[in-house]
């Protein structure tokens, strides 16, 4: 990796158990605008999106800190008295609508915001969602065959005794994907039956993994039969040749929107607004479609590889209609109970 002072290269560096991405685009740092962005996008998504941003914003330095959804939530609140970033980018709406977070945001309507339907925008203009993701299972075909296991089709299937020790899923306390799974199950089944189900599922869980993508990777590599993850990770791993099938649970896929916002405490608001404008630009939207099963902006088209992996053209047909306000309001109580009764 080249040194960050080289204006034509980007570097990736470790930072506090996260990945920080630094870009020095076009002009020298001495003459370029600079912003710090916090995100929960996956590392490969960040790299692809910022490659496009580099071409469109050659005079903007973008320093990015990536943390999982839960860890980023804790960090932003811990820094509330002295925010260290200018922009929140690609972060779960369920976390964004926390009133404590809302107090730290400044309303901004970026150029091109009309491409985003009202249902994906905060009524007060403090955030707008451009992308999203939904739950899916990564099922290893070879492990199923070797152990003579049936293909699961639903959340209900995962509690069957034959899958004991063969299921891994994200830890909802740290992973946005993990929390959307728990929240959607409780919304689908109701609180009492939902918790009964989660306890039955826990009996078959081999591990709760911190990341939303790693359960799919573990299943893809044959460590377990089933990794509860998100659809795009399954699609990516199928494209890379792993022997897995993507299964969207028949009850409906829990989902999350990923939103962007301007920090009220930013000292670089003009540059931050330029970046937020870019996040709804045509080039940004076209790139989102290479990585995201949910893109809220008009324009672009679902890639063929998504359809080949089993994603329907109308993804709304398989998505559970999430109550994001309920997910946010009950998050602390749900996670406290989950950690008390199920975390290990």
């Amino acid at each position: 990796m080249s040194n960050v002072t080289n204006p034509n290269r980007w570097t990736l560096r470790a930072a506090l158990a996260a990945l920080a991405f630094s870009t020095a685009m076009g002009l020298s740092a001495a003459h370029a605008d600079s912003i710090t962005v916090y995100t929960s996008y996956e590392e490969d998504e960040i790299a692809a999106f910022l490659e496009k941003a580099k071409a469109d914003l050659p005079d903007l330095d973008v320093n990015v800190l990536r943390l999982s959804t839960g860890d980023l939530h804790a960090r932003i609140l811990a820094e509330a008295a002295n925010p260290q970033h200018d922009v929140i980018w690609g972060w779960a709406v369920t976390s964004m609508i926390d009133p404590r977070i809302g107090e730290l945001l400044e309303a901004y309507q970026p150029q091109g915001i009309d491409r985003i339907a009202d249902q994906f925008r905060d009524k007060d203009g403090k955030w707008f969602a451009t992308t999203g993701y939904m739950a899916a299972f990564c099922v290893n075909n070879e492990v199923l065959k070797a152990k003579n296991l049936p293909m699961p089709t639903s959340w209900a299937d995962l509690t069957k005794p034959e899958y004991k020790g063969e299921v891994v899923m994200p830890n909802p306390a740290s992973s946005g994907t993990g929390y959307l799974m728990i929240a959607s199950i409780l919304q689908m089944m109701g609180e009492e039956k939902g918790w009964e189900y989660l306890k039955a599922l826990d009996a078959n869980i081999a591990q709760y993994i911190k990341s939303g993508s790693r359960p799919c990777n573990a299943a893809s590599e044959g460590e377990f039969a089933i990794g509860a993850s998100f659809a795009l990770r399954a699609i990516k791993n199928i494209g890379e040749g792993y022997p897995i099938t993507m299964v969207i649970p028949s009850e409906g896929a829990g989902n999350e929107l990923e939103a962007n916002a301007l920090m009220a405490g930013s000292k670089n608001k003009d540059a931050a607004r330029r970046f937020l404008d870019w996040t709804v630009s045509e080039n940004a939207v076209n790139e989102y479609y290479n990585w995201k099963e949910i893109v809220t902006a008009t324009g672009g088209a679902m890639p063929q590889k998504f359809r080949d992996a089993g994603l329907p053209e109308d993804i709304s047909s398989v998505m559970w209609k999430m109550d994001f306000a309920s997910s946010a309001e009950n998050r602390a109580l749900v996670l406290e109970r989950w950690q008390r009764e199920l975390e290990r």
Side-chain angles (χ1 to χ4, degrees):
M1 282 176 201
S2 59
N3 189 284
V4 71
T5 57
N6 182 334
N8 296 314
R9 299 295 300 274
W10 296 13
T11 63
L12 290 81
R13 62 174 184 261
L16 300 175
L19 286 179
F21 291 76
S22 178
T23 71
M25 301 179 288
L27 303 179
S28 68
H31 299 288
D33 287 329
S34 179
I35 60 171
T36 297
V37 174
Y38 283 4
T39 185
S40 290
Y41 276 139
E42 295 292 318
E43 291 90 345
D44 48 4
E45 295 170 351
I46 296 168
F49 297 158
L50 289 185
E51 183 67 27
K52 297 298 182 181
K54 179 176 82 168
D56 293 340
L57 303 171
D59 60 341
L60 181 63
D61 290 346
V62 183
N63 302 292
V64 180
L65 176 66
R66 191 269 172 189
L67 291 171
S68 64
T69 301
D71 290 347
L72 188 55
H73 191 267
R75 185 183 182 103
I76 292 173
L77 291 179
E79 295 177 351
N82 184 27
Q84 299 298 301
H85 59 297
D86 304 288
V87 168
I88 299 174
W89 179 39
W91 194 42
V93 164
T94 304
S95 293
M96 192 80 82
I97 61 179
D98 181 334
R100 297 170 297 175
I101 300 295
E103 291 176 358
L104 304 176
L105 306 180
E106 179 175 312
Y108 179 60
Q109 301 291 310
Q111 295 181 30
I113 191 61
D114 289 344
R115 302 181 71 176
I116 310 293
D118 288 346
Q119 70 192 88
F120 303 119
R121 295 152 57 178
D122 175 47
K123 62 181 178 59
D124 296 321
K126 288 193 172 184
W127 55 261
F128 56 95
T130 50
T131 59
Y133 54 94
M134 65 183 188
F137 307 152
C138 299
V139 184
N140 190 295
N141 305 316
E142 294 179 350
V143 173
L144 292 190
K145 183 177 180 180
K147 298 187 177 183
N148 196 29
L149 297 173
M151 178 69 68
T153 63
S154 64
W155 281 109
D157 283 350
L158 299 193
T159 63
K160 293 179 177 178
E162 55 262 42
Y163 296 122
K164 185 174 181 61
E166 292 293 343
V167 183
V168 288
M169 69 177 290
N171 184 320
S174 61
S175 165
T177 304
Y179 181 66
L180 78 83
M181 291 176 182
I182 301 299
S184 65
I185 287 167
L186 293 174
Q187 289 179 23
M188 292 171 189
M189 302 181 185
E191 185 169 353
E192 183 177 349
K193 291 184 178 179
W195 282 108
E196 289 177 2
Y197 169 83
L198 290 172
K199 291 175 183 178
L201 176 63
D202 180 69
N204 282 355
I205 296 289
Q207 294 179 22
Y208 294 105
I209 302 178
K210 191 171 186 179
S211 162
S213 59
R214 285 173 60 192
C216 184
N217 292 340
S220 297
E221 293 167 1
E223 297 178 38
F224 305 95
I226 304 163
S229 186
F230 55 94
L232 251 295
R233 182 54 50 179
I235 292 168
K236 182 176 186 296
N237 288 8
I238 289 170
E240 292 179 358
Y242 286 99
I244 63 170
T245 294
M246 178 176 69
V247 173
I248 299 173
S250 61
E251 297 94 340
N255 55 90
E256 180 66 90
L257 297 176
E258 297 163 315
N260 312 330
L262 173 67
M263 294 298 294
S266 168
K267 298 178 176 63
N268 307 291
K269 287 184 181 176
D270 287 344
R273 292 185 184 108
R274 289 179 61 209
F275 181 77
L276 288 168
D277 290 349
W278 177 83
T279 66
V280 295
S281 69
E282 182 176 357
N283 284 346
V285 171
N286 287 336
E287 189 61 27
Y288 296 151
Y289 268 102
N290 290 326
W291 296 90
K292 293 294 180 181
E293 64 268 51
I294 301 173
V295 179
T296 66
T298 56
M302 181 184 290
Q304 184 61 42
K305 65 181 180 180
F306 289 17
R307 294 189 287 269
D308 292 344
L311 198 66
E313 188 74 35
D314 178 12
I315 60 171
S316 66
S317 66
V318 296
M319 292 169 58
W320 177 260
K321 186 174 176 57
M322 298 291 294
D323 183 340
F324 293 113
S326 175
S327 295
E329 181 180 355
N330 295 310
R331 180 185 179 90
L333 289 175
V334 168
L335 292 180
E336 189 277 331
R337 180 171 178 178
W338 186 88
Q339 289 175 305
R340 183 178 71 251
E341 297 183 6
L342 298 174
E343 187 173 40
R344 46 189 163 87

